[in-house]
Amino acid sequence: METIRLGKSQMEAPHLALGCMRMDGLSTKAAAGIISQAMDAGINFFDHADIYGGGASEEIFAEAVKESGAKREEMTLQTKCGIRDGYFDFSKEHILNSVEGSLQRLNTDYIDILLLHRPDTLMEPEEVADAFTRLKESGKVRHFGVSNHNPMQVELLKKYVDQELIVNQLQFGIMHTVMLDAGLNVNMQHEPAVNRDDSVLEYSRLNEMTIQAWSPFQHEKTKEVFVGNDKFPELNAKLSELAETYGVNESAIATAWILRHPAKMQAVVGTMNTERLKAIAEASGVALSREEWYAVYRAAGNVLP
Ligand SMILES: NC(=O)c1ccc[n+]([C@@H]2O[C@H](COP(=O)([O-])OP(=O)(O)OC[C@H]3O[C@@H](n4cnc5c(N)ncnc54)[C@H](OP(=O)(O)O)[C@@H]3O)[C@@H](O)[C@H]2O)c1
């Protein structure tokens, strides 16, 4: 598994992270199986949030780590805070409480990376700054980042927060390309030209923030998995053709498409199926050509100007 440098930090992270959002649906034994498979494939990076399974995903993960024999110091644990029941909360009190809860549930002394999950428009950035400093100085959190933030929201945080924001986790995949569509359709009248994210892709590259692509196999509008889905015949034909060329499966090609972007993103995959994870991990060794990359983009229904 190849690695990337996360933001301006010295942290090396694998091309793929395992998203643990659906881990609450697993037995401890099954969760231990997927963790072991991930570690065997070089995916030692696990993405959590305080709210996944209402906290149960973090708990089952910790139980499963014990059962799998995996070593905490060989893993990177990332979690998120800031989403509550019906509202967002970046208050100092909530951030600190949320981290305490995650530390307990994950059965660990420290979190490697803490992300603010979704922008809270009622945020007081001074409170976030206070919370981050407390967490950093106490050793409870080593690195910080955000999720679903646009560039100006990141800038607002950066004005107050002392720590480097190394990651922005955003939805991205072949059928959710909002962050690059406008950049391919500059100064045009049609729908894809609408800049919906304040150029977060270019901003992240300019400022060396790593984009983590969440839900990489999801179709934007229907929320269905597009791989192997009859509703998207042209895309699946292209994925199958490339799968044949590279000797991997279609999900690996869909992942390789994300990794091919020079922004050097990390893909956060959510499968809880060991065989599927093993196959997807092969994406790390696939380097799609420029022509292949654009052919996949077009096969997903996008028209180049
Ligand atoms: N920051 C945010 O706001 C945010 C939001 C959502 C998610 N996330 C993170 O992103 C991670 C991934 O999200 P996700 O689970 O929605 O993304 P995903 O990796 O796109 O989808 C995985 C789901 O698709 C299913 N699937 C069916 N066929 C598949 C195929 N051929 N290839 C791959 N998967 C297939 C998997 O089922 P099986 O388990 O049966 O394989 C699993 O339920 C989450 O775990 C979480 O960590 C972050």
Side-chain angles (χ1 to χ4, degrees):
M1 173 74 44
E2 289 179 36
T3 61
I4 49 166
R5 179 75 56 92
L6 286 187
K8 289 180 185 155
S9 78
Q10 298 302 310
M11 279 183 87
E12 286 290 323
H15 263 162
L16 303 190
L18 183 69
C20 300
M21 182 171 75
R22 305 169 198 276
M23 200 166 265
D24 62 311
L26 267 52
S27 65
T28 309
K29 188 163 177 259
I34 192 87
I35 291 167
S36 297
Q37 178 59 63
M39 295 295 283
D40 287 351
I43 305 169
N44 63 347
F45 192 112
F46 300 89
D47 181 65
H48 289 272
D50 54 357
I51 55 163
Y52 291 165
S57 291
E58 289 182 330
E59 277 169 357
I60 288 168
F61 178 85
E63 284 301 310
V65 167
K66 264 191 242 159
E67 184 156 328
S68 74
K71 293 197 177 70
R72 167 68 183 96
E73 61 276 16
E74 289 171 7
M75 306 175 126
T76 299
L77 301 190
Q78 172 173 281
T79 194
K80 317 185 196 76
C81 65
I83 298 184
R84 301 191 74 174
D85 195 8
Y87 63 110
F88 304 117
D89 189 349
F90 286 6
S91 66
K92 178 178 173 181
E93 188 188 10
H94 178 66
I95 294 171
L96 295 177
N97 285 341
S98 167
V99 168
E100 287 306 325
S102 288
L103 287 169
Q104 269 184 18
R105 288 188 296 272
L106 289 167
N107 188 31
T108 183
D109 298 334
Y110 66 95
I111 285 159
D112 293 283
I113 311 172
L114 177 72
L115 307 186
L116 297 172
H117 205 156
R118 264 198 184 277
D120 169 17
T121 194
L122 303 184
M123 166 183 82
E124 310 278 359
E126 297 91 336
E127 288 200 35
V128 176
D130 269 4
F132 280 13
T133 297
R134 286 258 301 262
L135 292 168
K136 177 79 183 171
E137 286 179 353
S138 62
K140 289 178 179 174
V141 176
R142 297 192 170 170
H143 300 276
F144 298 86
V146 295
S147 176
N148 305 307
H149 277 57
N150 71 28
M152 290 310 282
Q153 291 166 332
V154 175
E155 285 294 315
L156 178 59
L157 276 166
K158 279 166 77 167
K159 182 171 155 64
Y160 295 89
V161 168
D162 287 337
Q163 294 73 28
E164 208 51 70
L165 299 174
I166 62 172
V167 159
N168 193 358
Q169 190 174 113
L170 296 151
Q171 185 169 9
F172 184 68
I174 298 171
M175 296 206 105
H176 186 103
T177 51
V178 180
M179 74 167 87
L180 53 80
D181 296 334
L184 286 168
N185 293 275
V186 173
N187 198 28
M188 299 187 78
Q189 291 282 6
H190 62 173
E191 175 77 1
V194 179
N195 187 334
R196 300 178 194 279
D197 55 34
D198 209 3
S199 304
V200 73
L201 176 62
E202 288 77 12
Y203 173 87
S204 304
R205 295 181 73 180
L206 274 168
N207 290 278
E208 294 174 65
M209 277 180 90
T210 298
I211 292 176
Q212 294 176 331
W214 63 259
S215 294
F217 307 109
Q218 200 179 77
H219 176 244
E220 184 178 339
K221 295 202 174 78
T222 63
K223 311 290 180 215
E224 290 174 55
V225 172
F226 59 77
V227 181
N229 187 330
D230 294 344
K231 290 184 189 153
F232 313 108
E234 199 185 335
L235 174 59
N236 277 292
K238 182 50 78 180
L239 292 178
S240 295
E241 179 195 316
L242 292 170
E244 175 96 22
T245 306
Y246 287 96
V248 298
N249 78 7
E250 286 79 359
S251 298
I253 294 295
T255 310
W257 186 86
I258 294 169
L259 302 178
R260 168 65 177 84
H261 197 283
K264 296 190 170 55
M265 300 183 206
Q266 188 183 34
V268 187
V269 302
T271 182
M272 291 288 115
N273 174 311
T274 51
E275 286 310 305
R276 188 130 54 210
L277 184 64
K278 193 174 174 188
I280 293 171
E282 293 184 2
S284 185
V286 174
L288 296 177
S289 71
R290 191 178 293 266
E291 289 86 342
E292 289 165 342
W293 190 93
Y294 274 102
V296 171
Y297 182 70
R298 283 185 281 109
N302 298 296
V303 180
L304 293 174

